[in-house]
Amino acid sequence: MPGIVIDKNHCKGCELCVRACPMDIISMSKDISVKGYFYAQLHDPSRCIGCRLCAIVCPDVAIEVRTHGTTFALVDY
Amino acid sequence: MAKVLMKGNEAIAEAALRAGANNYFCYPITPQTEVAEYMAKRMPEVGGVFLQGESEVAVGNMIFGAAATGKRVFTTSSSPGISLMQESISYMAGAQLPCVIVNIMRGGPGLGGILPAQSDYFQAVKGGGHGDYRLLVLAPSTVQEAVDLMILSFDLADKYRNPVMMIGDGMIGQMMEAVEFPDKDADPKPPDESWAATGAKDRKPRIIKSLFLDPVKLEENSWLLHEKYERMKKEEVRFELYKVKPENEFMIVSYGTMARICQTAIDELEEEGVSIGLFRPISLFPFPSTQILEEATKENVKALLTVEMSTAQMMEDVVMAVVGNRPVEFYGRCGGIVPTPEEVKEKILEMQKTYSK
Amino acid sequence: MKTEEQDIQRSAFVRPDSMTDVVTHYCPGCTHGVIHRLVAEAIDDLGLRERTVGVAPVGCSVLAYNYFNCDFLEAPHGRAPALGTGFKRLRPDMIVFTYQGDGDLASIGMGEIIHAANRGEKFTAIFVNNAIYGMTGGQMAPTTLPMQITTTCPTGRDMNETGHPIKISELLSTLTTPSYIERVSVHSPQHILKAKKAIRQAFQNQVDDKCFSLIEVLSTCPTNWGITPTEATSWVEDQMFKFFPLGCFKRPDDGKVK
């Protein structure tokens, strides 16, 4: 099952990934990272399709995308 | 190598090629444009990079980029052009990049004139741009010496990883004299590229920069540069004495072609029984202060006379050098007017009156 | 396209080798980070990292050298194209790219970029246009839009006082010397994909020793525009596109101006 890993130390809470996610399953955490940012998090990992749009828009390369099994590679990146 | 009659500007260009500096960026400005014209023809023969930039600002920065490769590179310009290069020179000093810059000086300030002058002394030896840095500055008085110092300049630039400036008044560039070029050494020492941007292959990336936002690092860098200048003061002072004898009444301090004119005056005065010596600094930074003090405090020397094609710039360093042990007089012309031997003699005779009592 | 199996073992999105793991100093949502990644990906895809030298400007990306895994030079304000020229002329075998903002390239460095383009220097120029001076805190830039508010045009840019924004891509495409000039944007995924292709093409031109390439990348500046990163991406499309249309303005082959 595809999924993403968000690196709390790199995320600056800019929320660009929130809007980019076609499945609308990324939201901002309630607690803050060591740098003081509300970091992004995946609140419904089961519905992640591994499309990588969140990682593509992330200005801080804070999102690593893992894909397993069927993958909707929406974009040829 | 046979002697050949050559214009200073062209001899300087050829000397650079003998030093293996086959990379030259330039912008036209009287009185040194012949260097560019000569290089435009010569570089294709020897293989190398010749490029005329869109301004001296651009050229100064092309030199920065080229020097970052670790290869020898130089440029030549004249007073107003050298002013435009000051920012890039400051950056190269901060980033520790070797290069050679030749200033064939003309009358200033502003557009000034195109005739010879020595009025860029302060700009050359006191740093010229922003920040704590210096240039090693050499001043030839003959076309042959310009050739020799040009070749030396590249070695010194590499030795200290600091820009080196050679300054000559317009005459150095424009006059023709017989010169002899050393043979290009058979196997030139490969350039030290240990610091250069040669591509991060099997090593960590190298960053050639002068920005140190952390004040501790910037201070570190500035004191490191300072150490280089202190070392230059110990190892790179160059000067020449002319007819300096115990019986000298006065000592003239003068550099470049101005010193040669003083030599003529000294010879003529000698025939009239007046003994004058000449101290000719060749390195303007590091300035031969201790040596000047040593000569100036010889028993019979009543006073010093600095003769410059400016309104007195090197004089200040001479005054500092003698630390009050001797009065320092000045004679100079500027705007492109070159003092004649007679004018120098008149000044000496006038000084004889004031200091004879 | 990577095969299915490769996808499974390998992560589908990784930090490019040519990018360091350093957390950037850029503001949250600033798309400098995206542009850095696209440049690093182009360098990786073409296998250039070990013979690449970047030239950093003065501006927000003055610290770019901390984020790339290749040799870097740091240029005085506006002079990156001159450093690129000097370096590339002596080392045509190496890959040189300059990275500049709009204050650096279109204001103080206008002379250098026009002449580098006109000489057809074979390096790759990345021009980040965010319509403002970022590093110094939001002053008016040559690319600041009409009526856009900045700290040095607090009542909105007045065309009578300061003229109109400068369209660098169009300007450079009028030069006769062949070059590859394209304006792209990174404010949405599909635009990022197009930008990635253009940046890669620009580096490919250098690998093929073909021509001067400049990619103008419209970029956001949430902090100094005074809006959120998401709003900033919309502002690019709603406002900047009006004055800075995307597209390829010049290709080396036909040399004709599109």
Side-chain angles (χ1 to χ4, degrees):
Chain A
M1 192 190 47
I4 63 172
V5 176
I6 295 174
D7 179 339
K8 272 188 271 188
N9 296 324
H10 276 83
C11 173
K12 293 175 185 162
C14 76
E15 305 185 21
L16 287 178
C17 53
V18 172
R19 193 178 69 164
C21 174
M23 308 304 287
D24 209 1
I25 52 173
I26 301 179
S27 60
M28 305 314 288
S29 155
K30 290 289 171 289
D31 41 355
I32 55 173
S33 69
V34 66
K35 287 240 170 122
Y37 293 117
F38 292 101
Y39 50 87
Q41 63 179 10
L42 195 57
H43 60 256
D44 188 352
S46 64
R47 292 177 52 233
C48 173
I49 60 170
C51 68
R52 299 180 292 184
L53 291 185
C54 55
I56 288 168
V57 300
C58 175
D60 288 280
V61 204
I63 302 175
E64 198 186 330
V65 181
R66 294 235 174 76
T67 57
H68 306 289
T70 59
T71 317
F72 292 96
L74 273 184
V75 291
D76 169 20
Y77 189 77
Chain B
M1 240 300 276
K3 277 196 186 284
V4 56
L5 190 61
M6 224 169 172
K7 188 171 223 178
N9 282 331
E10 291 172 354
I12 286 167
E14 189 57 37
L17 295 179
R18 293 305 163 94
N22 293 21
N23 303 300
Y24 175 68
F25 296 82
C26 61
Y27 189 83
I29 182 167
T30 304
Q32 60 78 53
T33 313
E34 291 86 352
V35 184
E37 290 164 343
Y38 181 86
M39 272 306 197
K41 287 187 250 126
R42 190 82 173 91
M43 199 64 94
E45 291 168 8
V46 297
V49 171
F50 167 86
L51 183 65
Q52 180 181 319
E54 61 270 24
S55 73
E56 289 97 343
V57 173
V59 165
N61 285 286
M62 289 174 189
I63 294 291
F64 185 114
T69 63
K71 298 185 186 311
R72 289 187 160 181
V73 60
F74 79 110
T75 187
T76 61
S77 185
S78 176
S79 311
I82 297 290
S83 292
L84 289 179
M85 293 182 182
Q86 290 304 324
E87 185 196 32
S88 55
I89 291 171
S90 167
Y91 272 70
M92 282 189 268
Q96 300 195 67
L97 284 175
C99 72
V100 173
I101 298 141
V102 178
N103 180 5
I104 301 298
M105 296 181 283
R106 56 189 265 174
L111 196 49
I114 58 170
L115 295 176
Q118 296 181 323
S119 38
D120 300 354
Y121 176 89
F122 282 152
Q123 180 190 56
V125 301
K126 305 295 179 190
H130 59 286
D132 286 312
Y133 77 95
R134 293 298 189 100
L135 299 185
L136 199 153
V137 183
L138 301 172
S141 66
T142 67
V143 173
Q144 181 62 56
E145 193 174 31
V147 166
D148 303 336
L149 292 182
M150 190 65 181
I151 292 168
L152 174 64
S153 295
F154 287 101
D155 294 335
L156 294 177
D158 289 343
K159 175 178 176 184
Y160 291 96
R161 267 182 64 194
N162 197 82
V164 169
M165 180 174 278
M166 188 169 84
I167 67 174
D169 49 64
M171 286 182 276
I172 292 282
Q174 288 299 328
M175 67 183 161
M176 294 184 83
E177 285 187 307
V179 285
E180 198 170 1
F181 291 97
D183 298 333
K184 197 161 192 234
D185 43 30
D187 47 69
K189 169 168 76 49
D192 160 21
E193 292 182 348
S194 60
W195 51 267
T198 51
K201 187 173 193 319
D202 310 327
R203 64 165 171 74
K204 284 185 36 272
R206 287 183 190 142
I207 302 166
I208 296 181
K209 69 181 177 75
S210 53
L211 176 72
F212 299 91
L213 285 176
D214 173 2
V216 171
K217 290 273 187 319
L218 182 55
E219 180 176 44
E220 236 170 66
N221 194 58
S222 295
W223 286 118
L224 183 131
L225 302 181
H226 182 77
E227 287 316 313
K228 288 202 260 187
Y229 309 135
E230 289 307 304
R231 189 173 154 214
M232 285 178 193
K233 287 178 186 168
K234 291 193 193 70
E235 299 178 13
E236 307 306 338
V237 169
R238 289 174 169 80
F239 61 93
E240 188 185 52
L241 301 181
Y242 180 77
K243 294 193 173 173
V244 168
K245 305 190 195 87
E247 62 270 26
N248 287 154
E249 260 180 82
F250 302 110
M251 185 167 82
I252 293 177
V253 184
S254 186
Y255 69 93
T257 43
M258 193 60 244
R260 287 172 72 175
I261 294 164
C262 294
Q263 282 171 359
T264 309
I266 287 170
D267 296 345
E268 288 171 8
L269 283 166
E270 191 179 39
E271 280 153 25
E272 296 157 17
V274 180
S275 174
I276 307 292
L278 165 72
F279 188 107
R280 177 171 76 88
I282 296 170
S283 60
L284 300 182
F285 185 87
F287 194 68
S289 304
T290 46
Q291 293 82 358
I292 286 178
L293 176 64
E294 202 181 294
E295 296 303 331
T297 48
K298 290 269 173 67
E299 200 188 343
N300 294 326
V301 175
K302 300 194 188 74
L304 268 60
L305 169 65
T306 60
V307 183
E308 297 173 68
M309 285 191 272
S310 71
T311 52
Q313 295 190 22
M314 180 184 66
M315 180 196 178
E316 292 190 7
D317 283 340
V318 174
V319 168
M320 269 200 296
V322 298
V323 284
N325 284 297
R326 287 294 183 284
V328 179
E329 300 263 341
F330 169 77
Y331 184 80
R333 304 294 300 272
C334 53
I337 296 169
V338 180
T340 63
E342 287 65 34
E343 290 170 70
V344 176
K345 277 170 63 182
E346 262 163 50
K347 178 67 184 177
I348 289 288
L349 300 177
E350 184 194 297
M351 283 170 66
Q352 276 195 319
K353 292 195 193 75
T354 48
Y355 293 95
S356 61
K357 290 186 261 352
Chain C
M1 258 305 285
K2 289 191 276 298
T3 59
E4 198 53 53
E5 298 74 33
Q6 276 170 338
D7 249 355
I8 290 171
Q9 288 76 25
R10 228 170 118 271
S11 166
F13 196 94
V14 287
R15 177 179 291 271
D17 294 340
S18 294
M19 215 172 171
T20 63
D21 196 17
V22 175
V23 177
T24 69
H25 72 291
Y26 298 118
C27 306
C30 166
T31 45
H32 259 305
V34 174
I35 302 165
H36 279 33
R37 195 190 73 231
L38 297 182
V39 170
E41 284 166 353
I43 293 171
D44 279 6
D45 295 351
L46 298 170
L48 305 173
R49 189 184 69 80
E50 290 180 341
R51 62 187 180 102
T52 294
V53 174
V55 185
V58 168
C60 285
S61 48
V62 66
L63 299 177
Y65 51 76
N66 288 330
Y67 312 130
F68 283 95
N69 241 331
C70 62
D71 283 355
F72 244 84
L73 316 183
E74 178 201 76
H77 196 26
R79 314 307 173 194
L83 270 76
T85 299
F87 193 97
K88 183 73 178 180
R89 290 265 171 158
L90 267 68
R91 290 298 304 271
D93 56 313
M94 287 181 72
I95 299 297
V96 178
F97 74 94
T98 58
Y99 190 102
Q100 296 175 270
D102 40 20
D104 195 84
L105 181 138
S107 196
I108 187 170
M110 180 66 91
E112 275 73 16
I113 193 64
I114 287 181
H115 283 282
N118 195 57
R119 285 191 301 267
E121 299 294 341
K122 297 283 198 323
F123 61 80
T124 302
I126 305 296
F127 166 40
V128 178
N129 174 1
N130 61 3
I132 203 156
Y133 277 80
M135 170 65 86
T136 42
Q139 295 73 31
M140 183 181 79
T143 47
T144 294
L145 297 184
M147 294 321 295
Q148 181 182 341
I149 289 172
T150 75
T151 59
T152 48
C153 53
T155 57
R157 178 173 186 171
D158 176 349
M159 272 23 82
N160 304 325
E161 290 294 318
T162 65
H164 291 252
I166 298 176
K167 302 178 187 219
I168 288 291
S169 292
E170 289 85 342
L171 186 80
L172 293 178
S173 62
T174 62
L175 297 171
T176 311
T177 311
S179 64
Y180 172 65
I181 310 280
E182 180 154 4
R183 178 181 294 126
V184 296
S185 176
V186 284
H187 72 288
S188 79
Q190 66 268 36
H191 284 92
I192 291 174
L193 296 181
K194 290 204 198 84
K196 179 180 168 70
K197 284 195 184 65
I199 288 172
R200 184 189 162 116
Q201 179 59 51
F203 276 91
Q204 185 65 51
N205 291 344
Q206 184 169 176
V207 170
D208 302 341
D209 201 30
K210 179 172 261 185
C211 66
F212 171 78
S213 305
L214 177 135
I215 305 298
E216 177 177 356
V217 189
L218 301 187
S219 185
T220 62
C221 185
T223 300
N224 289 308
W225 291 355
I227 48 182
T228 71
T230 308
E231 288 162 348
T233 53
S234 312
W235 198 77
V236 171
E237 191 145 345
D238 306 339
Q239 300 305 327
M240 290 187 83
F241 276 17
K242 284 187 210 152
F243 206 89
F244 297 115
L246 304 188
C248 179
F249 293 87
K250 194 174 174 71
R251 279 187 203 291
D253 314 320
D254 53 26
K256 283 194 302 305
V257 175
K258 278 280 175 319

